[in-house]
Amino acid sequence: MPQSFHNLYTHDFVRVAVAVPRCRVADPLYNAQQTIALAEQVAAKGAILAAFPELGLSAYTCDDLFHQRALLDAVQVALGNIVEASIRIPVTMIVGMPLRVDHRLFNCAVVVHGGRILGVVPKIYLPNYNEFYEVRQFSSADDAVATEIELLGQRVPFGADLLFQAANLPLLRFHTEICEDVWVPIPPSSYAALAGATVLVNLSASNIVVGKSDYRHQLVGQQSGRCMAAYLYSSAGRGESSTDLSWDGQALIYENGELLAESERFQDDSHVIFADVDLERLSRDRMRTNTWGDSMRRHAQQVAAFRVVKFAVELPVQDALPLQRSVARYPYVPANPAVRDKRCMEVYSIQVQALVQRMGAIGMKKVVIGISGGLDSTHALLVCAKAMDRLDLPRTNILAYTMPGFATSTRTLEQARKLMEFVGCTAHEIDIRPSCIQMLKDIGHPYSEGAEQYDVTFENVQAGERTSHLFRLANHHNGIVIGTGDLSELALGWCTYGVGDHMSHYNVNASVPKTLISHLVRWVAESRQFGEGDSQVLLDVVNTEISPELVPGKANDTAPAQSTQSVIGPYELQDFNLYYTLRFGFAPAKVAFLALHAWKDRSSGAWPEDAHVVRNQYTLKDIKQNLGIFLRRFFQSQFKRTCVPNAPKVGSGGSLSPRGDWRAPSDAESVVWMENLKTVPDA
């Protein structure tokens, strides 16, 4: 069956659901009807896995009615109705029910798919404290003797050691536990995850008391994070007995510690939540985390004890099925303003702390920095200023140099002057044109004879002269050169190798992407990090065209003539490509699929809170073209990344230091990545 690029299942996502049906106590047929109705809704949305509440077919609050044969027989009839309905509903359903096995009663999760009962999982930990009295009615899975049972005429695996594997979706392996099982110090799902389960399911009833909802979030979120798994959590809602308790029907879906979906609590009607789980992301996190493998080895006995039940799922892959999860356009920059401010504060503090440590370790009290009037050098200067404050040194110990060249605009030159005044550093200005002309003469470049030849040599002579001046100035004044180039430029090779902006004594910006630097500078201005002085110059820098300013323009020189992004692509797209390539190792086709979802037209805009954010839109053709630029430049410029200066890592999105997150050969081929990119359609 051909798979559509625009279908989430093509890219190793799976749509899952948690359903909370309205129930009636001790009315299994009614409860089965509600379950089937919700399963039909789940299938209509393209989801293939749905979890329902603990003991949902009978209701959790039956108490001693669980020992009544009439109820237990009726529950089996209700299960039969669900099994029959599953023939026409392409959803794997996990439903809760009481079940008699070997003269004992177990609280069970039953996995139903395609007219089959795939397995029955009994609850291990039975709470018998506070309002819970489960030991009165049920036996623990630890007391079970049988490993297979007869149920509705089918021979069915039975036990808490079952994993369920989708044969035609290899990354989907799920495990089921029941309520209290996740509240204990070592939940059964911890071992199940080590045994390969990527989706963990909890059928819970869970009455509500004050504060319990928040604790569920902590519990489920932490378990999904520790297990690098998705976690589906259900609880009982309207219809359970209110004799002594109340029920809020909370449903949660987490992925590796991140909340994907949550239901509204205290609803009167049946309800269901959906989420698209990225199975590849979970698998890749486990693969690269070597301590995950160490844990598998350490608990090899528990891991080996699991039995795997394989089944084939019906995947709706032939038609378009877009994602229903949020994909941030700016993965390095939180959309929420409060979270973004906190992130900026932390990143800024990491950079400052690193520079303070480096200066203290080498006994230097002065720094030398080049100021262009652009984003990167502005932020690096702000870091230097705060570091001097932390070291109780005067900001005049920052020796800042602006070095206008052949293409420096009046706008950036004035911004550089104002920035140095704003910070209070020692400001200098060196015109590099005479030394550049001498260099061009020495090497016989046509520009020295009057020709307008603005080639890479012409550009790099200027970049090299600036860096050469800075290093000699550092020697002369007993200081260190602070690098200003950022992570995005390093990824794209947008730096002059060796004697150029590629080199410094210490680079405070090397793992900060361009999209984040613009917000850092804005945050410094708006949060008054430097007091109540006029910080308009910082906002002016943010709003200036990003440019190397190495090639003169034909018109006036009031603004930068060159546009960096016209050559290497929009930084907002290239940072997106960098994040998903570096952090997760996704293939280009998946990166493009995610980018299309992130950048598709949204009536509300990307960040409706921020008037200053330009809400650009990109077609799939745009995304494919710029991803091609990214891949070519990323591979071609690896040699520049094998010898970069020391720099602090600031985020989990990674760095490109050969001593840190990224070790790669300089002569690797990009062929397989470019071939994969060809599978992306133009529309």
Side-chain angles (χ1 to χ4, degrees), residues 411-438:
R411 172 168 181 155
T412 54
L413 183 57
E414 284 303 312
Q415 285 175 179
R417 292 166 176 166
K418 290 178 181 178
L419 278 167
M420 293 186 289
E421 181 181 358
F422 171 75
V423 167
C425 60
T426 300
H428 298 275
E429 191 167 315
I430 299 175
D431 186 345
I432 63 165
R433 286 174 293 183
S435 58
C436 287
I437 289 173
Q438 183 62 51

Side-chain angles (χ1 to χ4, degrees), residues 12 14 16 49 163-166 169-176 189 191-201 223-225 227-232 253-256 277-286 292:
D12 287 317
V14 60
V16 298
L49 179 67
L163 300 175
F164 300 89
Q165 172 71 60
L169 191 58
L171 295 181
L172 176 59
R173 175 178 288 189
F174 69 87
H175 169 267
T176 298
S189 55
Y191 297 120
L194 293 175
T198 51
V199 176
L200 310 175
V201 180
Q223 184 65 359
S224 74
C227 293
M228 299 185 193
Y231 202 102
L232 282 56
I253 302 176
Y254 273 84
E255 178 189 286
N256 201 4
V277 171
D278 191 342
L279 298 174
E280 183 185 7
R281 178 177 179 174
L282 298 171
S283 176
R284 291 198 168 277
D285 273 350
R286 292 178 177 184
W292 180 267

Side-chain angles (χ1 to χ4, degrees), residues 452-472:
E452 293 186 0
Q453 182 170 318
Y454 305 133
D455 54 12
V456 67
T457 304
F458 176 82
E459 294 188 57
N460 284 349
V461 162
Q462 296 171 77
E465 282 298 305
R466 288 186 173 117
T467 303
S468 179
H469 277 69
L470 292 175
F471 271 96
R472 302 297 72 81

